[in-house]
Amino acid sequence: MKTMRIKFFARQFLVLTLASGVFFSCKSNALPSPQEEKLDYTQKDVHDAEVKRIYDLLQKSPVEALWRALLLGDKDLSDECAAFVKDSLKARVEQDDRVEAWTFYNSLAASGYGSLAREVMDKKAMDAFYYEGVPGLFAKEQPRLEKISDYIQGTVTVWVDLGVKVENGMGYAARVIGSGFFVDPRGYIVTNHHVIEEIVHPKNSGYGKVYVKMAEDSEQRIPAKVVGYDSVHDLALLKTEAKVPYVFNLGSKSQLSVGSVIYAIGSPLGLERTLTSGVVSSADRKLFTTGSVVQIDAAVNSGNSGGPCIDKNGVVQGVVFAGIAAYQGLNFAIPIEYLKQDLPILYRGGERRFPWIGAYGRTAKAGRTNYGLQIQYIKPGSAMARAGMKAGDIVTALDGKKVRSLEEVQDILRDHVPGTIVPCSYLEGGSYGGEKECLLYLSERPKNPGYEIYQGDTIQHSFVAIFGMELTPSSTENSKSFVVKSVIPGSAADENGFSENDPITVARIQFNDDKSAIMAAFVTKKRRNGYLDISVAMQALLDSPYYF
């Protein structure tokens, strides 16, 4: 039986272990490559090279080619690219590739070529095409059942059979047990990605089958298949041919608040038909790298993974995904909104990929009022950099929707997949003098954005996103000597006591094996320590909600 896990906590424990003196195994003292300069298209050779690049991109990434043509300001080339995207859109519709057709359609509309998109179909028809058949979103509302315990009939035990594994010369049955629930009368089931992870893992070439056990018949194992999965939000969609006894209604975050009574249904430790109750302890725990989760105090154990978290009306408000064995009442559920955003993509099959625009930042505040997302760092060569945005700008709208916080930007990004153009409004330099507009191309979010930033920028700039401090070189002879230019409140640098004008020398930089965390050793004279010479080791995770 597989133990439930939270990647976030595993990484936090790794960082704490490092702080106690156990160092990373992957060492690197090299500084990253120089920062890429913004292209100057007024130079003929730069312009011609970009035109060639656009034509090269047109066949394999037509939306990106269109976006770059628009940045170039070449109308004839932009029109040509837009016409190609329109033809590609028609082809995707004929091939029934609904997710890519959706991205092409919306990208044309965002780029000012809505008329070309409408030549294929109007917006209402495209929406119907994209959402057609998606389980859980538009199903007829199911009647409320008489007792909370009656909702157990809509749940299943997910049984992943991995055959026989041999360790130390002994063979044993390898299996994973989790939970799931029906969201469609055709037999679609929601569970956690980590329950079926071994089945879909690229390195898995051995035996593996997925079954479900119905709540009313725990003896029979019914074959199921994995349709789609999301490793970031720990969600998966299964399909079985079983007769469905009950389909759950999906709720909304507006229906849940701290103190709301909830119930968790699942098969903890393989004990089917288990129902526990509790309340919502917090609605905003930042455990995912693209959003927050719900903290609950209902009892959750290994095997509960993937079960529904329902309210008093039997409506699913979350998907149980983790608990911490050593701490009673400290358990978590995935917000129902994340599942609803995932379902159209999971239904089309395969792995869910996430977009990003190559930046780092936090909510902009005026007193207690949020008024946008302040950009504190932009990766060279990213969408924001190419569009002319800079650190200090404040995003006020994305994809035509007003935004007041980092969380709202993440909400919008979750609605999209990589390869989409979206409009962006921002206050240049945080000025209140008026908004500027640009177009952003959503590329694929790397597994560890902080590591990509370190590899693609100078150390003094990359440390803004990684540790929350900007550095200025202080020596022409020693490339590892700097002065702290600024520190972001609440960042790792702030928590480690660094201040403006502190001199530091980077002694060592190390990464763990999967490049998910970094440790840097400094020699410094902190103002807060009376400018005495001290050595400091600072650690940070290389992915967090502050990367977007």
Side-chain angles (χ1 to χ4, degrees), residues 349-526:
E351 182 176 9
R352 162 74 146 117
R353 298 176 300 122
F354 286 87
W356 91 312
I357 44 186
Y360 170 95
R362 302 183 183 221
T363 299
K365 295 178 176 289
R368 295 185 178 181
T369 303
N370 300 339
Y371 66 96
L373 169 58
Q374 184 166 35
I375 308 301
Q376 293 166 316
Y377 171 86
I378 295 178
K379 183 180 182 294
S382 66
M384 280 189 164
R386 289 186 176 277
M389 296 183 68
K390 297 180 177 63
D393 293 345
I394 295 176
V395 177
T396 55
L398 190 66
D399 194 27
K401 304 176 183 70
K402 288 288 185 183
V403 296
R404 296 174 296 277
S405 66
L406 168 64
E407 290 74 19
E408 290 181 355
V409 168
Q410 295 284 19
D411 285 344
I412 293 170
L413 290 177
R414 280 194 302 271
D415 275 330
H416 294 285
V417 296
T420 308
I421 296 174
V422 296
C424 175
S425 302
Y426 64 97
L427 298 171
E428 188 173 26
S431 168
Y432 291 90
E435 290 183 328
K436 297 189 73 172
E437 310 287 334
C438 70
L439 293 175
L440 299 176
Y441 176 77
L442 306 182
S443 55
E444 184 170 352
R445 185 185 180 96
K447 182 179 179 181
N448 295 306
Y451 184 73
E452 297 292 323
I453 286 170
Y454 177 84
Q455 291 294 314
D457 203 347
T458 57
I459 195 168
Q460 61 261 36
H461 291 111
S462 65
F463 272 26
V464 175
I466 294 172
F467 291 119
M469 63 178 177
E470 185 176 5
L471 308 177
T472 300
S474 62
S475 172
T476 57
E477 297 179 357
N478 186 350
S479 62
K480 299 180 182 180
S481 292
F482 303 91
V483 171
V484 176
K485 182 178 179 181
S486 62
V487 175
I488 296 174
S491 66
D494 185 33
E495 291 175 356
N496 278 271
F498 284 98
S499 306
E500 268 185 47
N501 300 318
D502 285 349
I504 67 170
T505 299
V506 180
R508 184 172 67 251
I509 295 174
Q510 300 171 300
F511 300 92
N512 64 338
D513 289 336
D514 67 357
K515 307 298 190 296
S516 64
I518 183 176
M519 186 204 73
F522 304 100
V523 177
T524 182
K525 294 182 179 181
K526 292 183 184 178

Side-chain angles (χ1 to χ4, degrees), residues 33-79:
S33 57
Q35 184 175 15
E36 176 186 335
E37 294 293 331
K38 190 176 185 299
L39 297 177
D40 181 3
Y41 295 132
T42 62
Q43 297 182 21
K44 186 177 186 305
D45 58 338
V46 175
H47 178 278
D48 292 347
E50 182 66 3
V51 170
K52 183 180 183 304
R53 171 68 173 162
I54 289 168
Y55 277 118
D56 289 343
L57 278 171
L58 202 53
Q59 295 294 330
K60 59 182 179 182
S61 184
V63 173
E64 184 180 359
L66 170 59
W67 174 68
R68 293 177 76 126
L70 291 165
L71 293 182
L72 191 62
D74 187 325
K75 187 177 186 308
D76 290 340
L77 182 56
S78 299
D79 291 347

Side-chain angles (χ1 to χ4, degrees), residues 77-275:
L77 182 56
S78 299
D79 291 347
E80 183 180 347
C81 290
F84 190 92
V85 173
K86 185 198 78 170
D87 291 340
S88 300
L89 166 60
K90 291 173 64 177
R92 297 306 186 276
V93 171
E94 292 169 0
Q95 296 161 7
D96 202 38
D97 187 343
R98 303 189 184 215
V99 174
E100 190 134 293
W102 175 262
T103 65
F104 286 3
Y105 191 97
N106 290 329
S107 296
L108 283 172
S111 304
Y113 290 96
S115 59
L116 290 182
R118 289 190 294 273
E119 288 178 16
V120 180
M121 63 176 70
D122 62 29
K123 183 67 167 64
K124 185 176 180 180
M126 174 51 69
D127 288 346
F129 177 72
Y130 179 65
Y131 287 107
E132 183 181 10
V134 176
L137 294 187
F138 306 105
K140 180 180 178 181
E141 185 172 345
Q142 299 297 305
R144 180 176 176 179
L145 301 181
E146 184 176 347
K147 298 179 295 182
I148 285 292
S149 60
D150 291 340
Y151 291 100
I152 293 174
Q153 65 183 294
T155 64
V156 299
T157 299
V158 180
W159 183 287
V160 180
D161 184 354
L162 299 173
V164 176
K165 290 194 175 182
V166 178
E167 287 186 5
N168 300 321
M170 298 290 291
Y172 67 95
R175 64 178 64 95
V176 178
I177 296 177
S179 304
F181 58 97
F182 287 105
V183 293
D184 189 277
R186 293 170 294 173
Y188 286 97
I189 296 167
V190 169
T191 188
N192 283 149
H193 164 261
H194 78 255
V195 173
I196 53 86
E197 182 177 12
E198 295 292 338
I199 297 292
V200 299
H201 197 286
K203 293 183 179 179
N204 179 35
S205 57
Y207 175 88
K209 290 187 177 180
V210 182
Y211 301 92
V212 296
K213 292 183 177 183
M214 307 293 285
E216 300 299 330
D217 183 5
S218 60
E219 299 299 320
Q220 183 181 9
R221 291 193 297 174
I222 303 170
K225 67 176 182 179
V226 179
V227 178
Y229 58 96
D230 172 0
S231 60
V232 173
H233 293 135
D234 203 9
L235 292 168
L237 185 66
L238 312 181
K239 175 72 166 66
T240 184
E241 299 304 320
K243 183 178 180 181
V244 179
Y246 183 79
V247 174
F248 280 93
N249 299 314
L250 303 184
S252 168
K253 60 185 177 183
S254 63
Q255 299 169 334
L256 208 63
S257 59
V258 174
S260 296
V261 176
I262 48 88
Y263 303 86
I265 306 175
S267 302
L269 304 177
L271 301 173
E272 295 97 347
R273 300 170 55 82
T274 298
L275 184 149

